[in-house]
Amino acid sequence: MSLTVDGNKPPLRRKREDGEDSDDVGVKRDKPEASRLESCLDQPMDSGSVHEVIKYAPSPLPASHYDADTTEPISCGLQTLEELLSWKRSEANPFNVAAVPLAPREPPLANCLRRTLVSHDMMGGYLDDRFVQGTNAEAPYAFYHWQYIDIFNYFTHKLVTIPPAVWTNAAHKHGVIVLGTFITEWTDGAAVCEAFLKDEESYRAVADKLVQISHCYGFDGWLINIENVLSEVAVKNTPLFLRYLTDQMHERVSGSLVLWYDSVIESGQLQWQNELNQSNRMFFDACDGLFTNYNWTEQSLEWMNDYSGAQGRQADIYIGVDVFARGKVVGGMFETNKALEIIRRHNFSTAIFAPGWVYEAHGDKAEFRKNQDRFWALLSDYLYVHRTASPLPFISSFCQGFGKAFYSRGQRETSRGWFNLTAQEIQPLYYRVALEGQGWLRSRGCPEDAWNGGSSLLLDGLIPATHTSPVCAKIFSLNVPLASKTLVTLIYKPCSGISVSLDLKTADASLCTHMNVQDVTLTSVSPVILDEGHQLVSQFSQLCGDMNPDGWIVRCSQLELHGCALREVCLSIRRDGEPQDTPFSCRVGEIMLLDVASLQVPPAKVQGLCIYDVVWLHGAGTSPESTSPCLHLNATLRWDYPTELVRHFRVYWRRLRGPDPRIPPGQLVVVGRAYSNLFRVTELRVAEPPGLMELVVEPVIRKGFPVPESHWGRRSLSYTKDFKR
């Protein structure tokens, strides 16, 4: 089937049908989510068709959840106490619900004695990341050093900061828990605190809403930041609020955390202590941990080590480090490592505030990756890599969740900058290390070419003449139990003059469940490379279809092991020819490990595709080719499919019939990519009524096997004018 890709769509200047500019799009809806879902479920599944009478009414969708001009779904927080207390799950934003559950990791967070928290505070928050379905962006900010951190906090100065789903999805893939923020500040904040901390009923009502919001949207807890003076009654009730919130979170959300920011003290005064002491211990004792202010000294840490209130809970004390280095602080900027060296020397956890400094404070955004990699490399000696622990299949194409173009199976699908952290895949280790004799090895993400998504892993360096053994580039630290027969595929582009092979390090799987698993003995194994005629390769190739690798090498290997877990994935790079200083590069597009038995599993079918929340808009495009107003469809699609199987879904449309019956049906055109069983079609230009169109959903499964068209989801939509107008 011939496919074409929808190009750049110009922003539309929205107009009512009568030509007047409309600012009404996005007024609060009258009907709750339940009734909209009922309208979806009421669609007859056997007919496959929906009929719409076009009406140009203001959008019934809530402006807080959908962009006012395009009805595109967005993430947002809550500004007022009234908004929080009136929050209802039935009116929650379905698009901001995390699509990825928290992955298991090793060691579990509870066993980590020196943890690392990142608090993301950037330019008020809810920037490119507010677009749940992603956005076009030439130079966005993203984070991808997940293996170094344990907790991610999304921070803004709104009363209630609900993390955008794209952050929760990316963090959860790597076993990192995500915290929202509840903050009160200054005079307005004091009034909020007096209102909700006045009695037990009031603080429980706020805590209950925070628990419901976290549970609904799929993130893992809260940072509580009270930065205003409290009255005697309010400060007395604050530990009771914290204890109730913490207990309720633990009951409803497994593995959740509630942390307190070092601000007010037991007298109710706003006095940052920069340590745990008797003045703020009452808050620490009531929750899961303390995030200290940033103006600490080494003497503070020495004192805390002997303080009775900290005994047995040093891991729960997160020493704050402001990367912007505001005020009298240790380290910051590219000297943040100096702060971490002192913190780790005294065996405390750390909270790194605003590491987006590497993006925000540097004008040349093209240098962002370089600056971010430098920053985290400087910290790496004081961070502890945790391993993603997951069953087979293990698959990563190294996509960082943004890029200059979007690739699918080595082919460029779109050629514009984009950003969507939900598309981020399990990230490798990024580093630069020195080799003997002036040699070096570097691992970095590169957007210039990719197998899937927006980037690949680029390994480059120099093999010195004196280095005769292969260079071992560590790519992943994992804990993945292997099948008795495991298919391993490596997709890569090497430069000339080198040979490349996989080096996998395994251990006895029964030993990898112990607490001191870091001490387990590793065995290096090289999977047996299979020739093209091998039955397994033939089966794999048949399932993959025509791959058109365009310079990529696809190598299939097999491991036959019993009772083993994969602990490390490395690439062995060997120089061909005589010893001499040899510059090299190798681009890695994808690494995949599959249980051979899973190749026999038939693909699932998309079920129950339905269309609802339809909004029709008439507008004129801003491009020179757009000379007159045209009709645009905006609608929500929902379907059922096991999302753990997919990399994403492609959503298509095509015209089946228009006003002129002589024009044949159109080809399928890509509308966008969905990363859950929900997608909002926006600004889709369609023919004037009457018309008949089809919306199609194709699962793109992680294993890379094309799903037969008979298993795609399809729904036709007919539309006519409103003849009553």
Side-chain angles (χ1 to χ4, degrees):
M1 177 174 288
S2 176
L3 305 178
T4 59
V5 178
D6 205 7
N8 286 306
K9 295 179 288 188
L12 298 176
R13 181 173 177 80
R14 295 301 181 197
K15 295 189 176 184
R16 295 194 184 101
E17 191 180 26
D18 59 10
E20 292 291 323
D21 287 351
S22 173
D23 295 320
D24 297 331
V25 180
V27 297
K28 187 173 179 64
R29 68 168 177 255
D30 294 320
K31 53 183 179 178
E33 173 71 19
S35 65
R36 288 162 46 216
L37 184 55
E38 285 167 10
S39 69
C40 170
L41 297 176
D42 286 345
Q43 294 174 10
M45 291 295 108
D46 55 347
S47 71
S49 182
V50 178
H51 180 71
E52 273 281 321
V53 176
I54 296 174
K55 296 180 180 180
Y56 300 105
S59 169
L61 303 173
S64 58
H65 297 163
Y66 297 87
D67 183 85
D69 291 326
T70 66
T71 80
E72 188 172 2
I74 55 175
S75 303
C76 69
L78 306 177
Q79 298 274 25
T80 68
L81 186 60
E82 291 71 24
E83 279 187 87
L84 173 61
L85 293 174
S86 63
W87 184 91
K88 297 175 182 174
R89 190 183 188 103
S90 62
E91 297 179 0
N93 182 353
F95 286 92
N96 201 46
V97 176
V100 181
L102 180 63
R105 48 162 284 176
E106 182 211 282
L109 183 62
N111 296 345
C112 294
L113 301 181
R114 292 179 288 184
R115 303 167 189 162
T116 302
L117 178 152
V118 158
S119 187
H120 174 63
D121 174 36
M122 179 176 286
M123 297 182 284
Y126 299 111
L127 304 172
D128 288 331
D129 53 10
R130 76 184 184 278
F131 294 105
V132 181
Q133 297 183 164
T135 187
N136 296 339
E138 294 304 319
Y141 172 78
F143 180 79
Y144 45 80
H145 289 87
W146 296 106
Q147 72 275 9
Y148 286 139
I149 78 169
D150 305 293
I151 303 163
F152 178 85
N153 164 237
Y154 194 83
F155 185 95
T156 77
H157 291 273
K158 296 180 184 294
L159 177 69
V160 179
T161 298
I162 300 170
V166 296
W167 283 104
T168 306
N169 290 333
H172 277 183
K173 286 176 188 175
H174 296 86
V176 173
I177 74 168
V178 177
L179 306 182
T181 305
F182 178 80
I183 185 171
T184 63
E185 300 176 280
W186 316 123
T187 304
D188 290 344
V192 169
C193 288
E194 293 310 306
F196 91 87
L197 291 170
K198 63 185 179 183
D199 54 37
E200 181 179 8
E201 181 181 2
S202 299
Y203 71 67
R204 285 195 170 207
V206 166
D208 287 342
K209 290 299 183 182
L210 294 177
V211 173
Q212 291 166 23
I213 288 170
S214 175
H215 185 266
C216 172
Y217 287 120
F219 61 96
D220 312 293
W222 296 96
L223 171 66
I224 307 299
N225 187 358
I226 307 296
E227 295 205 68
N228 48 258
V229 174
L230 296 177
S231 68
E232 182 179 350
V233 171
V235 76
K236 175 186 173 184
N237 283 327
T238 300
L240 301 176
F241 162 68
L242 287 172
R243 173 48 57 200
Y244 178 75
L245 173 63
T246 303
D247 289 345
Q248 293 300 306
M249 283 297 305
H250 290 177
E251 184 176 324
R252 293 289 298 277
V253 180
S254 177
S256 60
L257 287 181
V258 174
L259 303 183
W260 171 258
Y261 181 70
D262 163 29
S263 49
V264 297
I265 58 175
E266 60 182 354
S267 67
Q269 295 302 302
L270 179 59
Q271 293 180 4
W272 298 273
Q273 299 297 288
N274 304 296
E275 65 183 19
L276 173 68
N277 58 33
Q278 204 60 31
S279 294
N280 56 19
R281 177 179 175 178
M282 62 190 287
F283 309 111
F284 175 67
D285 288 345
C287 65
D288 294 311
L290 173 72
F291 180 151
T292 76
N293 195 45
Y294 313 106
N295 304 112
W296 50 269
T297 64
E298 186 166 9
Q299 288 71 29
S300 304
L301 307 191
E302 291 171 350
W303 183 86
M304 276 193 293
N305 265 327
D306 296 326
Y307 175 49
S308 61
Q311 298 310 304
R313 291 193 66 190
Q314 281 93 338
D316 299 332
I317 302 172
Y318 299 82
I319 309 301
V321 180
D322 180 9
V323 178
F324 277 82
R326 290 162 284 207
K328 190 176 180 180
V329 300
V330 178
M333 301 189 223
F334 283 124
E335 293 188 340
T336 299
N337 55 308
K338 293 182 178 179
L340 261 69
E341 190 276 328
I342 296 172
I343 292 167
R344 298 310 198 196
R345 188 191 309 158
H346 294 281
N347 295 311
F348 287 106
S349 295
T350 188
I352 302 171
F353 186 75
W357 170 85
V358 298
Y359 178 92
E360 195 172 343
H362 296 80
D364 187 358
K365 305 308 183 192
E367 294 292 303
F368 160 60
R369 273 190 175 93
K370 178 181 177 181
N371 290 330
Q372 175 146 277
D373 292 348
R374 176 188 173 194
F375 177 85
W376 289 97
L378 289 167
L379 302 187
S380 61
D381 286 344
Y382 311 107
L383 303 173
Y384 309 100
V385 172
H386 69 260
R387 300 169 185 265
T388 302
S390 63
L392 291 176
F394 174 81
I395 304 164
S396 180
S397 295
F398 310 103
C399 178
Q400 294 178 327
F402 65 109
K404 298 178 179 179
F406 193 93
Y407 295 83
S408 179
R409 289 158 60 102
Q411 303 296 311
R412 187 173 290 205
E413 200 169 84
T414 59
S415 299
R416 58 176 179 262
W418 64 277
F419 171 84
N420 188 342
L421 283 175
T422 301
Q424 192 177 91
E425 302 202 5
I426 296 294
Q427 291 297 288
L429 299 165
Y430 297 111
Y431 54 84
R432 179 184 172 118
V433 295
L435 305 175
E436 62 188 38
Q438 306 297 311
W440 56 276
L441 168 66
R442 177 173 57 178
S443 163
R444 60 190 173 98
C446 180
E448 302 304 325
D449 195 5
W451 179 252
N452 278 312
S455 54
S456 54
L457 176 66
L458 187 62
L459 302 171
D460 60 358
L462 175 71
I463 305 174
T466 55
H467 196 96
T468 56
S469 58
V471 172
C472 181
K474 185 189 291 189
I475 298 176
F476 292 110
S477 287
L478 306 163
N479 186 35
V480 177
L482 296 171
S484 57
K485 289 186 178 181
T486 303
L487 175 66
V488 183
T489 65
L490 170 66
I491 300 175
Y492 65 109
K493 283 185 179 181
C495 70
S496 60
I498 61 170
S499 298
V500 173
S501 61
L502 276 173
D503 182 12
L504 307 180
K505 301 188 186 303
T506 64
D508 185 331
S510 65
L511 300 178
C512 295
T513 58
H514 295 235
M515 277 189 62
N516 297 321
V517 71
Q518 301 293 342
D519 301 328
V520 78
T521 301
L522 299 182
T523 302
S524 183
V525 296
S526 295
V528 177
I529 298 174
L530 305 176
D531 60 47
E532 292 186 7
H534 192 280
Q535 180 268 335
L536 192 55
V537 176
S538 299
Q539 183 183 4
F540 178 75
S541 299
Q542 185 176 5
L543 289 168
C544 286
D546 184 11
M547 297 184 75
N548 295 319
D550 191 24
W552 293 94
I553 297 173
V554 181
R555 178 182 291 175
C556 294
S557 309
Q558 184 176 233
L559 276 176
E560 293 195 37
L561 299 170
H562 296 276
C564 288
L566 179 63
R567 302 288 291 175
E568 293 180 3
V569 176
C570 305
L571 207 62
S572 179
I573 302 168
R574 183 188 296 273
R575 173 181 46 228
D576 297 334
E578 297 299 315
Q580 58 181 325
D581 286 354
T582 307
F584 71 90
S585 67
C586 181
R587 187 179 299 277
V588 187
E590 183 174 86
I591 292 175
M592 178 165 60
L593 293 96
L594 304 174
D595 182 347
V596 169
S598 73
L599 298 178
Q600 308 294 335
V601 178
K605 291 185 177 182
V606 174
Q607 304 280 355
L609 175 61
C610 59
I611 305 169
Y612 60 104
D613 278 348
V614 174
V615 175
W616 297 97
L617 296 170
H618 231 274
T622 58
S623 66
E625 294 80 13
S626 182
T627 58
S628 60
C630 51
L631 181 63
H632 293 267
L633 169 70
N634 304 269
T636 295
L637 308 183
R638 187 193 294 269
W639 59 89
D640 291 320
Y641 197 86
T643 53
E644 68 276 8
L645 301 180
V646 300
R647 180 166 265 131
H648 57 262
F649 299 90
R650 282 196 197 95
V651 179
Y652 305 90
W653 87 284
R654 67 172 173 170
R655 182 184 54 79
L656 295 178
R657 186 176 67 245
D660 187 345
R662 295 170 296 178
I663 300 177
Q667 297 179 334
L668 284 180
V669 177
V670 176
V671 176
R673 289 176 292 275
Y675 292 86
S676 69
N677 289 336
L678 197 63
F679 184 75
R680 183 76 184 163
V681 175
T682 61
E683 299 186 301
L684 180 59
R685 182 173 177 172
V686 298
E688 294 295 323
L692 177 65
M693 60 181 293
E694 184 178 41
L695 291 158
V696 179
V697 175
E698 175 196 9
V700 179
I701 64 173
R702 296 173 63 222
K703 295 176 183 178
F705 308 153
V707 174
E709 284 192 44
S710 59
H711 288 53
W712 298 5
R714 297 177 181 273
R715 197 77 160 160
S716 59
L717 172 68
S718 60
Y719 54 96
T720 56
K721 286 182 178 180
D722 182 3
F723 292 103
K724 296 179 182 179
R725 288 176 62 91

